[in-house]
Amino acid sequence: MKIHIFGASGSGVTTTGNALAEKLAYRYFDSDDYFWEKSDVPFTVRRNPEERNSKIKTDLENSENWILGGSIFQWGENVFPDFDVVVYLWIPPQIRMERLKKREFERYGNIIYTDPDRIKQFEDFMEWAADYDNNTGIASRNFQAHENWLNSIDFPVLKISGDLTLQRRIDLIIENINKKPLH
C-alpha cells in the first residue's frame, strides 16, 4: 500500500502520517527530510533537486508499504510510483495559522521573538504559510495549485476537510483503504 498525504503547512500531514504509519506498521517518509538539507537553522538549505529525487525514489522503491507526507506535486516526472490513495487534508486557515505559531514556538522557543534573523525567518514563514489560502503570489504551493494537481491525477483521492481529531482522520483513511482492492 502506497499512501500519499498532503495539505497546507500546519494541516496535520506529519502528525497524521506518523500516527497512521504506526497503526499500520508502515514506514513514514516526510518530504521535508528530502527537500531540506540538515542545517543549524532548520529549513534554510534546500537540497539539490536531482539528489532529492534520487534519494526519495530509492527509499520508496525499497519499501513495500509506506506513507509519504508532504507536498511533492512540483518535484518532476517519474519520481514517484503510483499511489494507492492520495489523502488531502484541509483545515480552516485561522486554526491552521494558530497551530503553526504554536508549533514554531515549541520547536524553537523564544529565539523566534528575540533574534533578529530568526524573527525575520519566522515572519517570512508565517507570511508564506498564510498565502496558501490567500494566494497573493508569495507561495507556489497554495490551495489552488493543490486543487489543480488533484484534478490532474489518476489516483484515488480522499479529501478530509475540517478541524477533525487525529483519531477521526486515521479512521477515515483506514475506512477508505479498506474499501479499495490492493494491487
Side-chain angles (χ1 to χ4, degrees):
M1 176 68 56
K2 294 160 180 48
I3 302 169
H4 175 45
I5 302 175
F6 79 106
S9 186
S11 63
V13 170
T14 302
T15 301
T16 303
N18 278 316
L20 184 63
E22 185 176 322
K23 182 162 184 77
L24 298 176
Y26 288 4
R27 288 204 50 199
Y28 178 73
F29 298 98
D30 192 309
S31 63
D32 280 344
D33 294 337
Y34 297 87
F35 191 86
W36 300 104
E37 294 278 356
K38 299 276 186 229
S39 57
D40 290 337
V41 178
F43 308 113
T44 57
V45 180
R46 292 181 183 196
R47 181 172 273 125
N48 172 290
E50 288 177 13
E51 179 187 346
R52 170 198 73 201
N53 291 354
S54 176
K55 268 178 81 92
I56 196 163
K57 186 172 183 170
T58 298
D59 286 351
L60 295 177
E61 287 173 350
N62 289 322
S63 189
E64 184 177 347
N65 295 307
W66 46 259
I67 298 163
L68 169 62
S71 183
I72 48 84
F73 74 101
Q74 297 172 321
W75 285 26
E77 300 295 318
N78 303 314
V79 178
F80 303 98
D82 289 349
F83 301 116
D84 294 304
V85 65
V86 173
V87 179
Y88 173 61
L89 302 179
W90 183 89
I91 64 170
Q94 226 176 332
I95 296 168
R96 187 173 64 78
M97 294 306 292
E98 284 305 314
R99 281 185 183 179
L100 284 174
K101 286 178 191 172
K102 182 180 178 202
R103 180 185 83 185
E104 294 300 290
F105 182 75
E106 288 172 355
R107 277 184 178 172
Y108 307 117
N110 279 335
I111 196 167
I112 63 173
Y113 300 117
T114 58
D115 177 85
D117 291 337
R118 296 300 293 273
I119 291 168
K120 173 135 178 48
Q121 182 184 3
F122 172 69
E123 289 172 350
D124 288 350
F125 170 70
M126 294 304 290
E127 185 178 9
W128 172 84
D131 196 51
Y132 183 84
D133 297 288
N134 300 337
N135 197 15
T136 61
I138 296 170
S140 61
R141 186 178 108 179
N142 57 48
F143 177 79
Q144 191 57 56
H146 279 166
E147 283 291 316
N148 292 344
W149 184 70
L150 285 170
N151 290 327
S152 75
I153 61 174
D154 290 326
F155 311 120
V157 173
L158 171 63
K159 291 184 178 182
I160 300 176
S161 295
D163 187 22
L164 306 180
T165 65
L166 175 59
Q167 187 57 56
R168 183 68 184 130
R169 290 190 308 260
I170 299 296
D171 291 345
L172 287 169
I173 297 167
I174 290 175
E175 287 170 19
N176 182 273
I177 62 178
N178 285 338
K179 292 178 188 174
K180 304 222 175 290
L182 300 177
H183 294 280

